[in-house]
Amino acid sequence: MEAVDGLLHGLSVAVQPKYLLWALAGVTVGTLVGVLPGIGPAQAIALLLPLTFTVEPSAAFIMFGGIYYGCMFGGSTTSILLRTPGEAGSIFTAIEGNKMARSGRAGAALATSAIGSFIAGAFATLALGIAAPYVVSLALHLGPADYFTLILVALIVVGVLLGESVARGIASLGLGLAFGLIGYDAQSGMKRFDFGMPQLASGLGDTVIVVGLFAVGGTLYYAAYRRAQEPAVMSRGRVWLTREEWRRSWPAWLRGTAIGWPLGAVPVGGAELPTFLSYSYELRKRRRKRKKHPVPLKDGRDPDDDGIIEAVAGPEAANNANAAGVLMPLLTLGLPTSATAAVLLIAFQQYGLRPGPLLLDSQPELVWGLIAALFIGNAMLLVLNLPLVGLWAKVLKLPGPYLNAAIATFAMLGAYTTVSSTFQVYTMLVIGVVGFALSRFGYPVAPLIIAAILGPIAEVELRRTLEISAGDPSPLFLRPLPAVAYSVVIVLFVVSRVMRYRRRLADRTSAQHGDAATGTGAAEPEPSPESGPTSQQPVVPPVQTESNRR
Amino acid sequence: MTLQKARSLAARLRGKEELVVTIGIFAFGVYLLAGTRNIQTPVSFSQIGPRFFPYLVGTVLTGIGVWLTIQVLRGKTGKAEESDLVDVTQRTRWVSVVLVVATIIIHGILINLVGWVIACAFLFWGVAFATGSRHWLRDPIVSVVVAVVVYIAFTRVLAVSLPAGILEGVI
């Protein structure tokens, strides 16, 4: 049992006092940053990348892992009390959880999301540890053509299938690939697109791209469009669950975990889909149940209008299980499928490490230590977020200008320290302006980041494939993995197009009959299984998502 | 006549500011295609060399630039990102944006001129001011405290090197 040995070995690493401290520091910083409105794990870890210059890898990854999980917990608090999800996975918590908060049940919403996150995190991290060795042994058989396929599929899914506008997703991908081209060609060593500036010879630097887009772009966006009035923070009450709430929550937690983990572990990425599936499933289940056992009105109101606890518990669990699942393709294949995973990949590269099937063999301490530390950190987070949630809620009162000033400070610190030169400060500023323009016109930013990181890898794999086959491109399509993968993508694309078309048709017909989404229809979300995760426009609160911005 | 023409053109372009982005994407694509010819190719490469990918990316960008430009001209513009913190229906506060940009440029100059601590304090204060903070006493104090704490944490605890500048020996 390689997995059991590995996990035990990892635990022996992670329980060393210094690593426990790094984990504690990570989950604390993660919760803190996650609570800050509009900041998600990708931005938090990106801003702390300078740590990789001096801290040893195990400690840094244990801390980053803690931040990753911590942000998830902290983000739920903000979503519930402020309705400002820091990343895509919290959107449905923000909808239902905030409804509960508005009706004075913030405590129950916070408790079900914290406990649900804990349970999902525990199961999903365990599943990661158990499955990783098997995936690695499979991954060892993959050739360059297979890797090229996986990268291409990941890019297509992130850029084309998940976004709202296909053209803007492709544009974002293209810009990312172009940014990745800058600097020496990895294989031939030829100079490419350095704009005549020797500082660009070694490339733009992934840190500069990520932090520039998220942090600088986000600050510019806030400067341009900040609201005169900061949003109201809900009061929270007692943070615990009644017997009835326990009974309703726990099946939803388990279902959420079961939906979230596999969708994170297969390299297609994105927390939108699993949380959406969980949310719509819980709502439908609730509705079916109410048909059998009608719920009495309370003070003339339908209690479900004030938030359905299952619909908070399920997506929260799905989100955290998904977050752990995303580590699977990252650690075993070196394939980041979310912005956060992309930033973690940058951190690996800073240490000269390349995540992939060989990492588990060459750095068992690091990988197993990280997985075990995630397990421990997850438990720490439950303690940090149940009794101490009041403390974090205070952070929400931090004024927006100070928050943005702090973000800019850390961004510039990161820019300067990459090569101890102010050149990067200006490069980051330019990229920030690009990020501002992209956000302003609805171009998703996550595809750009992932393309900038994966583009150079894809190019190497493509050229290797053609060298091995002496210029024959057929392995790119005809090997088993590419053949299956591309077929699946084509089917997915066709299905999503057909669904979108059918929905538009339905909208048009209902509009003609004059019963378009008005009144109750707009107030109560009616997710249908065939609408995509982005189809929730009327009910989704204005959000800043990880995939889009800081 | 020309004035009238210009005016009607301006009216037609209103709400289509996204053209700046779409044309920018197109131009970047053209730049890539043009620049690719200058990339030297080593003789030893029998298969695709360092030019293949740039050609591919350049083609994608020019193509998508044209497609998006047409979409925008036909009124299919992108939807600005929203959140509870920002309200995109209001006018762009260009003054604030320019102030943030200027603050960052001056920050870069100050690092080499007077050291990181002062540059950072200026950056924090400048961004807070540009984004609407107007506490004349509290803002500078917070800025200095943040700069000193971050400097000490990164140089002493984490051993990242940052230039002390004129405060050499003081901090």
Side-chain angles (χ1 to χ4, degrees), chain A residues 164-517:
Chain A
E164 237 174 273
S165 155
V166 173
R168 289 179 181 79
I170 297 174
S172 182
L173 280 180
L175 286 176
L177 291 174
F179 285 177
L181 288 175
I182 293 171
Y184 287 117
D185 170 32
Q187 269 196 323
S188 66
M190 292 298 143
K191 260 200 282 186
R192 297 199 295 195
F193 309 110
D194 61 359
F195 295 87
M197 288 180 258
Q199 293 98 326
L200 285 179
S202 53
L204 269 179
D206 296 332
T207 316
V208 175
I209 296 176
V210 176
V211 179
L213 286 175
F214 278 147
V216 181
T219 299
L220 290 172
Y221 204 65
Y222 179 79
Y225 301 109
R226 85 194 127 79
R227 274 177 207 275
Q229 206 155 23
E230 306 224 334
V233 180
M234 297 287 121
S235 62
R236 54 181 199 287
R238 208 173 75 98
V239 183
W240 198 240
L241 298 173
T242 63
R243 185 183 288 267
E244 152 91 2
E245 285 161 346
W246 273 105
R247 194 180 53 69
R248 287 174 59 180
S249 290
W250 72 263
W253 292 332
L254 295 184
R255 283 192 295 264
T257 309
I259 295 172
W261 191 80
L263 283 174
V266 295
V268 291
E272 294 93 339
L273 187 63
T275 48
F276 170 77
L277 288 177
S278 169
Y279 181 67
S280 64
Y281 181 82
E282 298 301 338
L283 283 195
R284 264 185 300 145
K285 194 169 167 64
R286 176 78 183 155
R287 205 169 296 141
R288 232 178 301 141
K289 196 170 166 205
R290 288 183 51 157
K291 269 192 194 138
K292 271 191 236 155
H293 312 279
V295 179
L297 295 183
K298 219 160 84 186
D299 309 328
R301 276 174 68 82
D302 183 343
D304 279 3
D305 284 349
D306 293 332
I308 300 164
I309 194 162
E310 292 95 331
V312 179
E316 263 307 298
N319 187 24
N320 273 53
N322 184 258
V326 164
L327 292 175
M328 174 78 92
L330 176 69
L331 292 175
T332 59
L333 300 170
L335 207 65
T337 52
S338 73
T340 314
V343 178
L344 285 172
L345 182 72
I346 299 173
F348 275 107
Q349 288 169 345
Q350 302 267 31
Y351 287 112
L353 300 169
R354 190 178 180 313
L358 302 176
L359 188 72
L360 199 63
D361 271 339
S362 62
Q363 302 277 341
E365 300 249 312
L366 180 69
V367 178
W368 288 114
L370 171 63
I371 294 174
L374 286 173
F375 209 74
I376 296 171
N378 193 41
M380 290 177 177
L381 279 166
L382 189 64
V383 179
L384 274 182
N385 281 274
L386 274 183
L388 298 180
V389 71
L391 200 69
W392 305 117
K394 288 209 175 67
V395 175
L396 289 175
K397 303 215 164 90
L398 183 73
Y402 284 0
L403 175 59
N404 280 276
I407 290 171
T409 299
F410 277 95
M412 289 305 141
L413 179 69
Y416 181 77
T417 50
T418 46
V419 285
S420 287
S421 143
T422 50
F423 178 80
Q424 299 284 28
V425 168
Y426 304 125
T427 317
M428 192 182 272
L429 178 60
V430 172
I431 292 175
V433 172
V434 172
F436 170 74
L438 294 181
S439 305
R440 176 64 186 85
F441 298 111
Y443 292 73
V445 171
L448 197 166
I449 290 167
I450 295 180
I453 293 167
L454 290 182
I457 304 176
E459 183 180 6
V460 169
E461 302 290 359
L462 175 65
R463 280 155 72 173
R464 238 181 241 160
T465 307
L466 293 179
E467 263 158 48
I468 295 170
S469 70
D472 171 19
S474 64
L476 291 171
F477 310 99
L478 298 182
R479 275 178 65 99
L481 186 110
V484 172
Y486 291 131
S487 318
V488 171
V489 167
I490 291 168
V491 170
L492 277 180
F493 184 75
V494 171
V495 168
S496 79
R497 287 273 106 179
V498 171
M499 292 307 174
R500 206 177 286 193
Y501 178 72
R502 266 180 47 184
R503 209 175 64 238
R504 253 185 227 162
L505 217 61
D507 285 354
R508 215 170 289 159
T509 351
S510 62
Q512 277 168 0
H513 291 293
D515 57 5

Side-chain angles (χ1 to χ4, degrees), chain A residues 51 54 83 168 185 190 192 221 224-227 401-402 422 426 439-440 442-443 471 543-544 548-549, chain B residues 18 40 47 50 76 78-88 90 92-93 108-109 131 138-139 158-159:
Chain A
L51 286 179
T54 49
R83 210 175 65 152
R168 289 179 181 79
D185 170 32
M190 292 298 143
R192 297 199 295 195
Y221 204 65
Y225 301 109
R226 85 194 127 79
R227 274 177 207 275
Y402 284 0
T422 50
Y426 304 125
S439 305
R440 176 64 186 85
Y443 292 73
V543 284
Q544 296 171 309
N548 288 323
R549 204 174 68 90
Chain B
E18 191 186 342
Q40 289 175 322
Q47 313 306 335
K76 283 185 180 175
K79 227 170 52 203
E81 226 181 278
E82 293 184 57
S83 89
D84 272 10
L85 301 175
V86 295
D87 174 11
V88 287
Q90 54 187 337
T92 311
R93 289 194 193 85
I109 298 169
T131 51
R138 197 178 76 182
D139 291 353
L158 298 166

Side-chain angles (χ1 to χ4, degrees), chain B residues 145-164:
Chain B
V145 170
V146 167
V148 171
V149 168
V150 172
Y151 180 80
I152 291 177
F154 272 80
T155 52
R156 302 288 148 77
V157 184
L158 298 166
V160 173
S161 93
L162 294 167

